[in-house]
Amino acid sequence: MREFLLVLKISLIDGLNLNGMKPKNIDKKRLWVVALIILCIPSIGILYRGYLNLISNFSEAFVAISQEGFLVALSYNVISLLTLMFGFTYVSSYFYFSKSTDTLIPLPLKNSSILASKFVMIYLYELVFSILFISPILFNIGKLQSYGFLYYFKSIVSILLVPVFPLGLAAIIMIFLMRLTNLSAKKDLVRSFTLYLSMIVLIGAQLYLRKIFSEIDFTSNNDFFMKLVTDNTFLIESFAYTNPVARWLGLGFVSGDVSNFLNYSLFVIANLLTFAGFIYVGNKIYLEGIIGGNEVASTTKVITDKELDNQVSKRSNVFFSIAKIDFLTIIKTPIFMINCIGVIIILPVILLFSLFNEGTEIKQQILNLQANYQDILPLLIAGGIILIIAMSTTQSTTFSRDGKAFWISRIIPVSPAQHVIGRSIVPFFISLALTIIVVGTSVYFLELEVVTIILITGLALLGVLPIIFLGIAVDGYSPKTTWDNPQRAVKQNLNVLVAFVVYGVLIYGLWKLFDLMQSSFDSLSIVYGIYIVILMIVTVGSFYIASKVIDDKFSQHIN
Amino acid sequence: MLKINELSKSYAKGTKKAVDNISFEVKQGEIFGFLGPNGAGKTTTIKQIVGLLKPESGTILIDGIDNQKDKIESKSKISYVPDNPEIFTKLTGIQYLNFMADVYSVSAKDRKERITKYAELFEIRDALNQQITSYSHGMQQKIVLIGALIHDPKLFILDEPMVGLDPKSSYNLKELMKERCQQGNSVFFSTHVLEVAEKICDRLAIINNGKIIAMGTMDEIKKELGQDGSLEKIFLELTE
């Protein structure tokens, strides 16, 4: 225990940068970031307030029909699925790609101490979501039912346990995956592939199960309303096959007999057993996964004269050479690949599943939407593409991903404009692939004219450029190059948040501008014509901003 | 080749002068050693020369070009090997070298010739197809050295270049530095290995607390200080 606490203390200080948070250690040049976050708090507060109101209404409705246990089970189901999905990337980066692991492995520490301390680190991140999203539900129900101390005690225990099962499961799966993928010569590729596959299977399973339940016509069943009123576990039973842990938790929160207490006990035991299972599996095979992962591929062939000739004869211009380095770094680092390219792999899967499951229904809904919003349909579809790219971390972490190798970008004789173009190529191709997928799907669903297709494509590709350039500017201003695992370069990077704020302002401004123009001009062609010209000006302006930032800042960074 | 004039740089809101009004010149065909204890200001000076830090005051001329006025042109004339060569570890050695050749616009013929020459010299040719992440510290140092030499720079700047190199590679690097100077190029490097500085440098400067406290050839320094001992003895006395 002492050993675990010791490792945990060091992991927390290092992982959460606790020393850097001390006022005397805060870099004054980054105070503006702190100020920006403080400014964001009210807007996030407004959104959270909306969530609280929604939950309050839901709680009242479910309590009124005595189905509050279902609400608890449902919220747990959503949060645990999200935790499981994010858990894969967190576990792989903290357990396997963190430099601190290399420091800890040679020390005389038990595997379990290293694993448990890392688990707690990830658990703390996930616990924040549990507190923010599940606690309002439990406390609303407690308030409405005027429950006593025992209920609140149980609620706190539940909130603390929410991340344990999905995270433990993700960790066990990842430990097995890492052990198995060590057999492969192309570990990084295989690991990225298995991560994607796991996510796709999860999404597919959820959508498939949703389809099964949506096909059950509850309302035609005469017993339904009777059961709804008389049986307060009726809805919870729908989780019997999809997520039994959610069912146990839901039943545990239904006031009543011993069986409900037993169900709650099962929830607690499931969490504790998963944690114990994770420690057991970790103790057995974690180390082999780590060591195998660090092993040099001894099968790599020595480069022959012919291969050398081939390699060196492939001269590229500076833009493509920078883009190539950027691309190789992304695809050879599973965490980067998941975060940067994930959208163009996951989105088509979701679209395909949706088509397979609910094709006709969705098509009808979209056709209705098309009929109602004919004029702005190109802008809506292009706007969707732009929003997805704005949510991507590819551009706003481009220099951060270089890590300690960032110095190379700063000493090479490359102009700021060349840097910006080079760094834009990968995110632009991601945007292009996304545009093809979305436009292709739109063509399938809607009877679009060629002009409309061209307009959507043009608006989308022109619209993503300022997003890409501004993301590069944000990261170029203050890249996070000091990180000990790749997760921190893309997920725990403030530049992503700052970029979101910048994109938010830009997208809101552009949306308002279109609105204004639409009310000022009668001809839609004129509106779109002027709008494209404005987008071009914004693109040039953001390119200039990115170039200027790189020109000014590349000789000012310390690291 | 390199002319530093009244260069200064402070940290911590100007309370700590890392480099304090220093001036010196590295001539064409010269190996210039830059010595000093830890924290003396060597790396800060080098980082300002290569463009990693902006000078607070003073000028840096590289082959007559102000590195703050024409950054790209001045960068194209130099190459830099840092003290801790961390590079794109996910690339293979050959991918990294090709990248460096691309950004310095080296022709296919020249890059092949130079990669072959230096990879064989530093005995790393067999590892060029492997990912850099599998390289030892010394191998990473070698690949950075080759990347820095691929465009045949006029001024070769190295920060503690001998750290991590095996004895043979260290010897080869010293010979290479001499060869480059004979070809009319210049070498500017910092080191803690005083024997190396004494043996191969045409001139050297000793920096302490951000100020240059001695500069010239070994004989000039000895004469100026009225000392006749080794560089180690002079260094210890000057920096105490």
Side-chain angles (χ1 to χ4, degrees):
Chain A
M1 192 62 180
R2 188 181 155 272
E3 192 179 281
F4 158 69
L5 291 173
L6 198 70
V7 182
L8 178 63
K9 182 184 160 192
I10 295 299
S11 302
L12 287 175
I13 292 172
D14 184 47
L16 302 177
N17 191 20
L18 295 182
N19 283 333
M21 287 182 194
K22 289 180 183 169
K24 66 172 181 177
N25 291 339
I26 291 177
D27 182 1
K28 303 288 183 287
K29 285 179 186 168
R30 289 185 70 90
L31 272 178
W32 67 273
V33 177
V34 179
L36 194 68
I37 292 169
I38 294 169
L39 279 174
C40 287
I41 289 173
S43 54
I44 294 168
I46 291 167
L47 284 175
Y48 189 60
R49 176 83 200 163
Y51 173 76
L52 291 181
N53 288 339
L54 186 77
I55 287 306
S56 176
N57 294 336
F58 269 132
S59 304
E60 280 177 25
F62 278 89
V63 166
I65 55 167
S66 301
Q67 296 290 341
E68 64 271 19
F70 174 70
L71 186 60
V72 175
L74 185 69
S75 58
Y76 174 81
N77 188 44
V78 173
I79 293 291
S80 62
L81 268 173
L82 288 174
T83 306
L84 185 63
M85 282 181 63
F86 287 120
F88 286 127
T89 54
Y90 273 118
V91 168
S92 59
S93 74
Y94 273 84
F95 284 34
Y96 290 92
F97 305 119
S98 160
K99 282 180 187 161
S100 68
T101 308
D102 291 345
T103 316
L104 292 172
I105 292 292
L107 299 177
L109 298 167
K110 287 195 282 290
N111 278 356
S112 54
S113 301
I114 299 172
L115 285 168
S117 67
K118 287 182 177 291
F119 186 89
V120 171
M121 281 287 299
I122 308 171
Y123 165 82
L124 288 174
Y125 289 120
E126 301 296 345
L127 184 63
V128 174
F129 289 99
S130 173
I131 292 171
L132 286 174
F133 294 102
I134 297 203
S135 61
I137 297 169
L138 293 173
F139 288 98
N140 265 323
I141 294 170
K143 203 171 108 187
L144 289 164
Q145 300 280 47
S146 306
Y147 284 134
F149 171 77
L150 193 65
Y151 172 87
Y152 288 102
F153 176 73
K154 206 164 73 176
S155 299
I156 290 168
V157 172
S158 308
I159 290 162
L160 292 174
L161 285 178
V162 164
V164 176
F165 175 75
L167 218 47
L169 195 62
I172 292 170
I173 294 171
M174 280 313 293
I175 288 172
F176 274 116
L177 276 180
M178 289 296 181
R179 179 71 187 88
L180 290 174
T181 52
N182 275 342
L183 302 170
S184 157
K186 293 188 180 297
K187 294 185 197 76
D188 294 330
L189 202 64
V190 172
R191 284 171 177 173
S192 299
F193 177 74
T194 45
L195 272 172
Y196 277 123
L197 196 67
S198 312
M199 289 185 182
I200 288 168
V201 166
L202 272 171
I203 294 168
Q206 274 299 306
L207 290 172
Y208 179 68
L209 290 168
R210 213 180 72 188
K211 187 193 172 211
I212 290 175
F213 283 107
S214 67
E215 281 171 2
I216 300 171
D217 191 1
F218 285 113
T219 48
S220 68
N221 188 337
N222 292 332
D223 287 345
F224 176 75
F225 292 106
M226 186 55 77
K227 278 191 173 176
L228 198 63
V229 178
T230 55
D231 183 359
N232 55 4
T233 64
F234 172 55
L235 287 177
I236 302 172
E237 291 302 333
S238 63
F239 287 108
Y241 300 107
T242 55
N243 190 346
V245 186
R247 176 178 168 264
W248 292 329
L249 179 69
L251 290 174
F253 273 91
V254 174
S255 58
D257 55 18
V258 179
S259 74
N260 294 337
F261 172 76
L262 285 177
N263 275 306
Y264 188 73
S265 304
L266 281 174
F267 168 75
V268 175
I269 290 166
N271 278 287
L272 297 180
L273 274 181
T274 310
F275 184 73
F278 148 69
I279 293 289
Y280 178 79
V281 171
N283 263 330
K284 290 282 178 197
I285 58 171
Y286 172 61
L287 209 58
E288 284 86 342
I290 288 276
I291 293 168
N294 290 340
E295 275 170 3
V296 178
S298 56
T299 51
T300 306
K301 282 183 190 168
V302 171
I303 194 164
T304 61
D305 283 337
K306 198 179 171 189
E307 282 169 339
L308 185 65
D309 266 345
N310 280 340
Q311 293 259 17
V312 297
S313 60
K314 290 177 205 159
R315 275 190 71 183
S316 306
N317 68 33
V318 177
F319 314 128
F320 285 109
S321 212
I322 291 173
K324 189 177 164 190
I325 298 295
D326 197 18
F327 180 68
L328 287 173
T329 307
I330 289 173
I331 60 158
K332 289 188 175 183
T333 313
I335 302 297
F336 292 164
M337 187 152 161
I338 290 285
N339 283 289
C340 299
I341 306 186
V343 66
I344 54 167
I345 294 176
I346 300 289
L347 189 75
V349 173
I350 295 176
L351 286 174
L352 280 174
F353 275 120
S354 302
L355 278 175
F356 174 70
N357 283 340
E358 305 165 64
T360 327
E361 196 182 325
I362 286 187
K363 191 166 183 175
Q364 194 50 52
Q365 284 173 6
I366 295 176
L367 284 172
N368 291 343
L369 198 75
Q370 186 186 19
N372 293 335
Y373 300 100
Q374 185 69 44
D375 293 352
I376 59 166
L377 190 72
L379 189 71
L380 284 179
I381 297 174
I385 295 166
I386 293 166
L387 273 177
I388 293 171
I389 292 301
M391 281 188 276
S392 159
T393 57
T394 316
Q395 56 277 357
S396 56
T397 60
T398 182
F399 298 113
S400 298
R401 289 194 300 268
D402 287 357
K404 294 278 172 66
F406 179 51
W407 65 271
I408 297 170
S409 294
R410 294 162 64 199
I411 63 140
I412 52 178
V414 170
S415 71
Q418 285 173 321
H419 271 297
V420 177
I421 296 171
R423 295 282 176 167
S424 304
I425 292 174
V426 172
F428 183 75
F429 272 94
I430 292 174
S431 310
L432 188 63
L434 183 73
T435 306
I436 292 168
I437 292 165
V438 174
V439 172
T441 314
S442 306
V443 170
Y444 174 83
F445 278 123
L446 313 165
E447 286 163 10
L448 297 179
E449 290 172 14
V450 177
V451 180
T452 314
I453 295 170
I454 292 169
L455 187 58
I456 295 169
T457 310
L459 283 172
L461 295 181
L462 207 51
V464 295
L465 283 175
I467 297 289
I468 292 171
F469 294 148
L470 291 174
I472 292 170
V474 169
D475 198 44
Y477 189 88
S478 179
K480 182 177 181 170
T481 53
T482 312
W483 39 263
D484 69 341
N485 78 62
Q487 181 82 12
R488 295 179 74 174
V490 284
K491 275 285 179 204
Q492 288 145 290
N493 187 341
L494 268 180
N495 289 344
V496 174
L497 183 71
V498 175
F500 281 170
V501 176
V502 174
Y503 302 155
V505 172
L506 178 72
I507 291 171
Y508 180 78
L510 287 173
W511 173 253
K512 279 285 158 198
L513 193 70
F514 187 86
D515 210 22
L516 184 76
M517 286 190 341
Q518 213 186 3
S519 55
S520 309
F521 299 99
D522 292 332
S523 163
L524 208 58
S525 306
I526 294 176
V527 171
Y528 277 115
I530 297 175
Y531 201 64
I532 285 171
V533 173
I534 290 170
L535 276 179
M536 284 175 177
I537 295 167
V538 173
T539 302
V540 172
S542 33
F543 180 80
Y544 174 78
I545 291 170
S547 303
K548 185 86 179 99
V549 165
I550 286 171
D551 195 26
D552 287 349
K553 291 291 167 184
F554 266 31
S555 59
Q556 289 180 24
H557 302 306
I558 300 295
N559 293 314
Chain B
M1 184 61 67
L2 171 68
K3 196 169 184 183
I4 306 280
N5 194 29
E6 296 175 351
L7 186 71
S8 290
K9 181 76 183 173
S10 305
Y11 291 128
K13 280 188 174 175
T15 54
K16 188 183 182 310
K17 277 261 178 197
V19 175
D20 192 0
N21 200 31
I22 64 170
S23 300
F24 62 87
E25 191 178 352
V26 178
K27 293 170 188 156
Q28 192 175 359
E30 184 176 61
I31 300 182
F32 193 98
F34 201 43
L35 315 179
N38 292 332
K42 301 188 296 292
T43 300
T44 303
T45 304
I46 290 175
K47 282 186 170 179
Q48 290 177 94
I49 297 169
V50 301
L52 285 171
L53 285 174
K54 197 171 187 172
E56 198 171 280
S57 62
T59 54
I60 298 166
L61 300 178
I62 295 165
D63 201 17
I65 298 159
D66 189 326
N67 81 340
Q68 293 305 303
K69 287 184 180 156
D70 194 343
K71 293 175 188 173
I72 309 298
E73 185 61 23
S74 66
K75 281 178 179 176
S76 66
K77 290 182 182 292
I78 62 171
S79 69
Y80 169 56
V81 178
D83 52 347
N84 193 7
E86 302 213 45
I87 47 177
F88 304 106
T89 53
K90 294 292 178 184
L91 308 184
T92 61
I94 192 70
Q95 282 171 336
Y96 171 73
L97 295 178
N98 252 333
F99 168 70
M100 293 303 274
D102 280 339
V103 292
Y104 285 98
S105 305
V106 181
S107 69
K109 181 178 165 284
D110 284 347
R111 72 174 74 178
K112 193 201 167 189
E113 190 184 302
R114 287 170 196 159
I115 288 172
T116 308
K117 176 186 169 186
Y118 296 125
E120 277 168 6
L121 180 73
F122 290 115
E123 298 177 331
I124 200 173
R125 195 186 183 286
D126 289 355
L128 287 180
N129 237 357
Q130 290 174 16
Q131 258 191 33
I132 293 169
T133 191
S134 69
Y135 286 11
S136 68
H137 180 88
M139 286 164 83
Q140 289 198 21
Q141 180 87 344
K142 289 174 186 177
I143 206 82
V144 175
L145 274 166
I146 301 171
L149 289 163
I150 208 155
H151 65 288
D152 193 22
K154 284 193 164 186
L155 176 62
F156 191 24
I157 301 170
L158 308 99
D159 195 357
E160 300 288 354
M162 306 302 167
V163 178
L165 289 182
D166 55 60
K168 191 177 175 190
S169 301
S170 194
Y171 171 80
N172 285 334
L173 177 61
K174 283 181 274 184
E175 291 301 306
L176 187 69
M177 285 156 87
K178 287 180 197 166
E179 182 193 308
R180 294 196 62 73
C181 290
Q182 282 159 9
Q183 291 164 351
N185 301 308
S186 306
V187 176
F188 174 75
F189 76 106
S190 77
T191 184
H192 281 126
V193 189
L194 299 178
E195 293 82 6
V196 171
E198 195 167 3
K199 272 186 192 165
I200 67 166
C201 291
D202 298 308
R203 286 194 310 137
L204 46 90
I206 301 174
I207 184 171
N208 194 21
N209 292 326
K211 288 179 186 291
I212 288 179
I213 51 175
M215 187 164 55
T217 62
M218 267 306 289
D219 288 339
E220 282 168 356
I221 290 176
K222 283 178 185 174
K223 198 173 168 187
E224 191 185 322
L225 298 170
Q227 295 226 15
D228 204 23
S230 65
L231 179 59
E232 187 178 24
K233 196 177 165 198
I234 294 169
F235 180 85
L236 290 173
E237 280 186 18
L238 280 172
T239 56
E240 234 172 43

